[in-house]
Amino acid sequence: PPTAPAPTLVNLDVDLDVGVTDSTGTPVSGLSKADFTVSEDGVMQRIASFSADRKPISLVILVDVSGSIGSKLDRIRAAASSIIHQGGEHDEFAVLKFTSDTTVVQSFTSDALSADRSLATLHAGGETALLDALKFALDYANQNGKNQRKGIVLLTDGGENGSQATSRADLI
């Protein structure tokens, strides 16, 4: 009988961005490589390099402005504003809103005041195409964010009732 081919060993370099907080949520600084362990499937992995430098991020703030958000919109604006104003000088932010469609309210900018002002234009009403919005935001960040690190902050009440083009499997 034919023998199965030998498994192929693949070596990958993986970058992990880590933020550490204490039990009260306060960021912990001054950590070194010795303070961390990395394992995969229970097997310890070697940490090849370690840097405590903060790398800039291109962050999409994705805001649900569907009808169910109405009474929560002021708190959502305040949360988004807080995130924007905690950014570093090389971070950039984009503000996207969604109901049944997703719209870019503020394209990527490092100007915190511009990003913050865009939040005032948000008004609630409509359905919640949450999965479609997440897919749009992911594509937008990858295509338009200038920084290597990219992220999405989703501000929503969690209800999905309007996605047409995207399923959960599309996002995994």
Side-chain angles (χ1 to χ4, degrees):
T3 59
T8 303
L9 180 62
V10 177
N11 288 317
L12 297 175
D13 288 331
V14 177
D15 292 329
L16 301 175
D17 291 314
V18 178
V20 179
T21 58
D22 65 17
S23 61
T24 65
T26 303
V28 176
S29 60
L31 300 174
S32 70
K33 181 177 176 178
D35 295 309
F36 292 88
T37 58
V38 177
S39 65
E40 179 181 8
D41 296 329
V43 178
M44 296 302 293
Q45 302 295 314
R46 182 177 69 85
I47 299 175
S49 66
F50 179 89
S51 172
D53 295 336
R54 185 186 176 286
K55 302 218 184 316
I57 190 166
S58 296
L59 189 66
V60 171
I61 299 177
L62 180 60
V63 182
D64 178 351
V65 292
S66 63
S68 62
I69 290 294
S71 65
K72 305 166 196 150
L73 191 53
D74 286 339
R75 287 186 310 220
I76 287 173
R77 282 189 193 108
S81 179
S82 177
I83 292 165
I84 290 167
H85 288 284
Q86 290 179 42
E89 68 177 293
H90 298 292
D91 293 336
E92 62 176 1
F93 301 93
V95 177
L96 281 63
K97 68 177 182 176
F98 73 97
T99 56
S100 55
D101 294 311
T102 305
T103 306
V104 176
V105 178
Q106 171 64 59
S107 59
F108 276 114
T109 181
S110 294
D111 179 355
L113 292 177
S114 291
D116 200 32
R117 277 193 299 271
S118 73
L119 299 170
T121 68
L122 302 178
H123 303 285
E127 292 185 341
T128 311
L130 178 60
L131 299 177
D132 289 348
L134 280 170
K135 176 75 169 94
F136 184 98
L138 181 63
D139 292 343
Y140 185 83
N142 285 328
Q143 292 168 8
N144 298 285
K146 71 177 182 183
N147 295 311
Q148 181 179 0
R149 287 181 60 218
K150 295 174 178 61
I152 299 170
V153 172
L154 172 63
L155 300 172
T156 183
D157 60 1
E160 157 62 87
N161 65 19
S163 289
Q164 301 296 315
T166 308
S167 69
R168 282 184 168 84
D170 293 331
L171 296 172
I172 296 176

